Amino acid sequence: MDEFKAISLWTSDRQSPEWQKKRGVRLGLGDDAASISAANEVDGISGPKNMLLAMDTMVETIHFNDVTMTDEDVGYKALAANVSDIAAMGGVPLHALVSVSVPPAYGPERIARIYDGLYNCASRYGIAIVGGDTTASPDKLVVAVTLTGSVEAGAELRRDGAKPGDRLFLTGPVGMSAAGLHLLGDGGGYTSANQLLSDEYRNLVLAHRRPAPSVTAGRLLMASGVCTSLNDVSDGLASEAWELAEASGLRLVLEEDRLPKSGSLASYGGRIGYSPLDWMLYGGEDYVLLGTVQEASAEKLASLFRENGLPFYVIGTTESGEPGVEMIPAEAAGIGKDSVMRDGNGYREQRRTLHKKGYNHFER
Amino acid sequence: MDEFKAISLWTSDRQSPEWQKKRGVRLGLGDDAASISAANEVDGISGPKNMLLAMDTMVETIHFNDVTMTDEDVGYKALAANVSDIAAMGGVPLHALVSVSVPPAYGPERIARIYDGLYNCASRYGIAIVGGDTTASPDKLVVAVTLTGSVEAGAELRRDGAKPGDRLFLTGPVGMSAAGLHLLGDGGGYTSANQLLSDEYRNLVLAHRRPAPSVTAGRLLMASGVCTSLNDVSDGLASEAWELAEASGLRLVLEEDRLPKSGSLASYGGRIGYSPLDWMLYGGEDYVLLGTVQEASAEKLASLFRENGLPFYVIGTTESGEPGVEMIPAEAAGIGKDSVMRDGNGYREQRRTLHKKGYNHFER
């Protein structure tokens, strides 16, 4: 098939020109480059703003395969991962470009389904798909996505702003995507043979296939003015915590019994005799937000999230020292609020270093 | 190697924070997303402007291999192809994101050389590299690049603005990259065995490996106000001409004896007994610009290019009719200026349809 005809088949009539125009698009798919009005106000941001740029790539056999993801899931998640990056800056996602490198084994129908997923995600987050590239690939599918966003100038939520004494928080449970992947892979696959198991743990499978990046939470954190640093949990909680610690130049102390654990995660772990903690610390692809907040404002921020119907979990503290990440095991701290505070020494003897290693494409 | 350390190894100290700041960068590599001042004036554009967005991907074995390109060439050309897209809109390139999917066989040194090429091209065109992604690839290298640009609002040089009676032009010779590829591949490879041949035709090899996108020409065309449509020749002259014809809804009539042919292209073709016309029409990756200009302004535009030391070739005309591309063979038109005009009927009987087929990733 002619490349232009193919791209047109996959993309035409997906987003109306009028809708794209409202998103600031002056010239979309079909020319050498897209053209976006720099003065667009579609992001709801008045006053000076900065443009955000993120790029994320998914490679067949590295990030997914035929068993773990449908074609539509691949498209959805490739864009969702970028949305999470914009969310982690406190921004609003706006315009996407999509590069698909297609192996000979993929016919036009499969590519159309990848685009179904992309447009599905784009529609969910109000993103205009304005360009990209389609090439052949010798063997494996590669989907690279670039996403723009907009944020109030100077209000970007960076990794390097945490201060000693801040509270460390998560905006949702971690480990569900990894457990879902386990269920789809080692767990036997999402097949009719284990349909019952898959149905019971459908939210774990969905967490892996259709992650829900935290744009609303990111906007709340940006507007609050008290969030000092922020990261999205794409590569595992431990790894992201290390990134915050190293960027901000301080120590993070997590408390195991404060980590938000979903019921189905605990249940699935129990069923197969596996402790969920590994998934929670090293699983990745959760796309919740990990950040720090000034101690005096932590309770106010938690209330703000409650009022907006969003989860918010304080999971630890920050302190000065050599950059690193420690965890107080559940058995040391016991159950209860303010566990670090209850022990005058912050359970210093019981802490153990959390290794950075999580889902790292260069160490696997 | 740790992904962050690796990326830092490949990218740190390449562009100073001060230089990036001058390019509008508020937050570059190392966070979830880059942040760019939307109000930046580094592009030299005063007044309302639009942001351009282009994305281009190069895949090992599809677009290059170890024989045709060095690692540094791959990085250089991946960015240069995007620069050409911004040039073809009449814009100024500004910020790039780079996604590299690395097979196990590539060690850190090879990736560093890919980045050498990327930064080399970035430096040549004043582009700040502000983000991207690095992942593993099971087998083949994939480099995807996104580039932003800036252009005066409403002055974008689109594909769909040509009018019947316009003159069709090229801003440089075509076919050299394809001939260079032939020399590197079928021609025997750029090896010590045929070093003499390679040295003699070094400009053909360079045209393939280090294309020079036409930013200055694009800016001249934008500022002229008389360029009615524009495309870059990435997929072959015939294919790009068809794109203009279909987007603008008219016929293009090329004259074979007006097509700019480099001396070394003719010489290399003669040496191996191959007519260069195929390379010129279907070769692609020349990254010169193909466009249309109002007839009354064609001579003025040619003068403007001469004054700026840039080549400019009128190669045909446009006329109303079913969208398509025709060519008047050299033997029909003879040699000379205004050949279409000399024949009262525009050599209508001698014309032959130029097929679209060029370098098309879906037809090969």
Side-chain angles (χ1 to χ4, degrees):
Chain A
M1 200 190 325
D2 178 277
E3 181 177 351
F4 259 77
K5 281 198 191 125
I7 292 177
S8 158
L9 176 78
W10 302 322
T11 58
S12 63
D13 298 330
R14 300 271 199 171
Q15 296 179 333
S16 76
E18 293 71 32
W19 185 84
Q20 285 219 339
K21 200 173 174 191
K22 282 191 208 135
R23 306 298 295 171
V25 181
R26 294 293 164 263
L27 188 62
L29 293 161
D31 217 304
D32 297 294
S35 184
I36 312 290
S37 167
N40 80 75
E41 293 297 338
V42 295
D43 44 33
I45 297 172
S46 52
K49 57 191 165 183
N50 285 347
M51 174 181 65
L52 301 171
L53 286 169
M55 188 177 197
D56 225 60
T57 306
M58 285 178 61
V59 183
E60 193 177 354
T61 70
I62 305 293
H63 301 92
F64 65 89
N65 61 44
D66 282 354
V67 174
T68 63
M69 303 270 281
T70 70
D71 294 328
E72 203 177 332
D73 293 329
V74 170
Y76 193 99
K77 192 166 173 175
L79 182 51
N82 281 280
V83 174
S84 184
D85 284 326
I86 299 297
M89 302 300 291
V92 180
L94 285 177
H95 311 104
L97 298 99
V98 178
S99 162
V100 185
S101 298
V102 186
Y106 280 66
E109 298 76 19
R110 293 195 66 179
I111 313 177
R113 284 198 294 270
I114 295 167
Y115 274 91
D116 287 343
L118 280 161
Y119 277 98
N120 195 337
C121 184
S123 160
R124 166 73 184 76
Y125 292 96
I127 295 158
I129 296 181
V130 297
D133 187 30
T134 306
T135 68
S137 170
D139 191 26
K140 302 300 178 201
L141 181 74
V142 181
V143 183
V145 175
T146 297
L147 183 61
T148 75
S150 199
V151 67
E152 288 75 1
E156 297 92 338
L157 297 172
R158 306 161 57 127
R159 291 177 182 165
D160 58 4
K163 297 274 176 293
D166 285 351
R167 288 287 183 261
L168 185 68
F169 66 81
L170 271 174
T171 65
V174 286
M176 294 176 70
S177 171
L181 177 62
H182 183 276
L183 173 61
L184 292 164
D186 303 342
Y190 189 57
T191 62
S192 54
N194 70 347
Q195 194 64 54
L196 275 176
L197 193 66
S198 297
D199 282 353
E200 188 175 344
Y201 297 114
R202 191 162 181 276
N203 60 340
L204 300 180
V205 170
L206 272 180
H208 182 72
R209 293 183 160 178
R210 297 292 173 116
S214 315
V215 177
T216 311
R219 293 297 287 164
L220 274 184
L221 292 167
M222 187 285 303
S224 76
V226 295
C227 176
T228 53
S229 73
L230 196 66
N231 231 353
D232 71 322
V233 182
S234 49
D235 287 341
L237 178 59
S239 169
E240 306 293 344
W242 269 93
E243 280 185 24
L244 284 190
E246 291 183 331
S248 295
L250 42 66
R251 298 186 73 71
L252 302 185
V253 186
L254 283 67
E255 299 176 47
E256 182 186 340
D257 65 1
R258 286 171 174 264
L259 298 182
K261 190 193 298 178
S262 94
S264 53
L265 179 74
S267 160
Y268 178 65
R271 177 93 65 122
I272 63 163
Y274 189 84
S275 158
L277 191 60
D278 250 24
W279 290 325
M280 295 168 69
L281 294 176
Y282 300 114
E285 301 193 344
D286 295 300
Y287 301 122
V288 297
L289 300 174
L290 171 73
T292 53
V293 53
Q294 298 161 8
E295 184 190 355
S297 305
E299 201 37 62
K300 203 181 71 184
L301 194 55
S303 302
L304 183 66
F305 270 69
R306 262 194 308 275
E307 284 158 23
N308 283 273
L310 293 173
F312 186 87
Y313 308 92
V314 171
I315 63 164
T317 55
T318 63
E319 56 183 39
S320 58
E322 183 73 15
V325 181
E326 294 178 310
M327 189 169 75
I328 302 170
E331 61 275 17
I335 308 293
K337 278 195 166 180
D338 299 323
S339 37
V340 173
M341 276 57 72
R342 276 185 301 130
D343 179 295
N345 195 29
Y347 292 88
R348 217 163 281 271
E349 284 75 31
Q350 285 83 6
R351 295 182 187 180
R352 60 182 177 87
T353 296
L354 256 198
H355 293 291
K356 195 186 294 190
K357 181 189 74 72
Y359 186 81
N360 187 312
H361 302 302
F362 282 86
E363 290 188 344
R364 290 195 107 185
Chain B
M1 198 188 327
D2 179 278
E3 180 177 350
F4 259 76
K5 281 197 191 126
I7 292 178
S8 157
L9 176 78
W10 303 322
T11 58
S12 63
D13 298 330
R14 299 271 198 172
Q15 295 179 333
S16 76
E18 294 71 32
W19 185 85
Q20 286 219 339
K21 201 172 173 191
K22 281 190 208 135
R23 305 298 294 172
V25 181
R26 294 293 164 263
L27 188 63
L29 292 161
D31 216 304
D32 297 293
S35 184
I36 312 290
S37 168
N40 81 75
E41 294 296 338
V42 295
D43 43 34
I45 297 173
S46 53
K49 57 191 165 184
N50 286 347
M51 174 181 66
L52 301 171
L53 287 169
M55 189 176 197
D56 225 60
T57 306
M58 284 177 62
V59 183
E60 192 177 356
T61 69
I62 305 292
H63 302 92
F64 64 91
N65 60 44
D66 283 355
V67 174
T68 63
M69 303 271 281
T70 69
D71 294 328
E72 204 176 333
D73 293 330
V74 171
Y76 193 99
K77 192 166 174 175
L79 183 51
N82 281 280
V83 175
S84 183
D85 284 325
I86 299 297
M89 303 300 292
V92 181
L94 285 176
H95 311 105
L97 298 99
V98 178
S99 163
V100 185
S101 299
V102 186
Y106 280 66
E109 298 76 19
R110 293 195 66 178
I111 312 178
R113 285 198 294 270
I114 294 167
Y115 275 90
D116 287 343
L118 279 161
Y119 277 97
N120 195 338
C121 184
S123 161
R124 166 74 185 75
Y125 293 95
I127 295 159
I129 295 181
V130 296
D133 187 30
T134 306
T135 69
S137 170
D139 191 27
K140 302 299 178 201
L141 181 74
V142 180
V143 182
V145 175
T146 298
L147 183 61
T148 75
S150 200
V151 67
E152 287 75 0
E156 297 92 338
L157 297 172
R158 306 160 58 126
R159 290 177 182 165
D160 57 4
K163 297 272 177 295
D166 284 350
R167 288 286 183 262
L168 184 68
F169 64 83
L170 271 175
T171 65
V174 286
M176 293 177 70
S177 172
L181 177 62
H182 183 276
L183 173 61
L184 292 164
D186 303 342
Y190 190 56
T191 62
S192 54
N194 69 345
Q195 194 64 53
L196 275 175
L197 193 66
S198 298
D199 281 353
E200 188 174 342
Y201 297 114
R202 191 161 181 276
N203 60 340
L204 299 180
V205 170
L206 272 180
H208 182 72
R209 293 182 161 179
R210 297 291 173 118
S214 316
V215 177
T216 310
R219 294 296 288 163
L220 273 184
L221 292 167
M222 188 284 304
S224 76
V226 295
C227 175
T228 53
S229 74
L230 196 66
N231 231 354
D232 71 320
V233 182
S234 49
D235 287 342
L237 178 58
S239 169
E240 306 293 346
W242 269 92
E243 279 184 24
L244 283 191
E246 291 185 330
S248 295
L250 42 66
R251 297 187 73 70
L252 302 185
V253 185
L254 283 67
E255 298 175 47
E256 183 186 341
D257 66 1
R258 287 171 173 264
L259 298 181
K261 190 193 296 178
S262 95
S264 52
L265 178 74
S267 160
Y268 179 65
R271 176 93 66 123
I272 64 164
Y274 189 84
S275 158
L277 191 60
D278 249 22
W279 291 325
M280 295 168 69
L281 294 176
Y282 299 114
E285 302 193 344
D286 295 300
Y287 301 122
V288 296
L289 300 174
L290 171 72
T292 53
V293 54
Q294 298 160 8
E295 183 189 357
S297 305
E299 202 35 64
K300 203 181 71 182
L301 194 55
S303 302
L304 182 67
F305 270 69
R306 263 195 306 277
E307 284 158 24
N308 283 274
L310 293 173
F312 186 86
Y313 309 91
V314 172
I315 63 163
T317 55
T318 62
E319 56 183 39
S320 58
E322 182 74 14
V325 181
E326 294 179 310
M327 189 169 76
I328 302 169
E331 60 274 18
I335 308 292
K337 278 194 167 182
D338 298 323
S339 35
V340 172
M341 275 57 70
R342 276 187 300 132
D343 180 296
N345 194 31
Y347 292 87
R348 218 163 281 272
E349 285 75 30
Q350 284 84 7
R351 295 182 188 181
R352 60 181 178 88
T353 295
L354 255 197
H355 292 292
K356 196 185 294 190
K357 182 189 74 73
Y359 186 81
N360 187 312
H361 302 302
F362 283 85
E363 290 189 344
R364 290 193 108 185

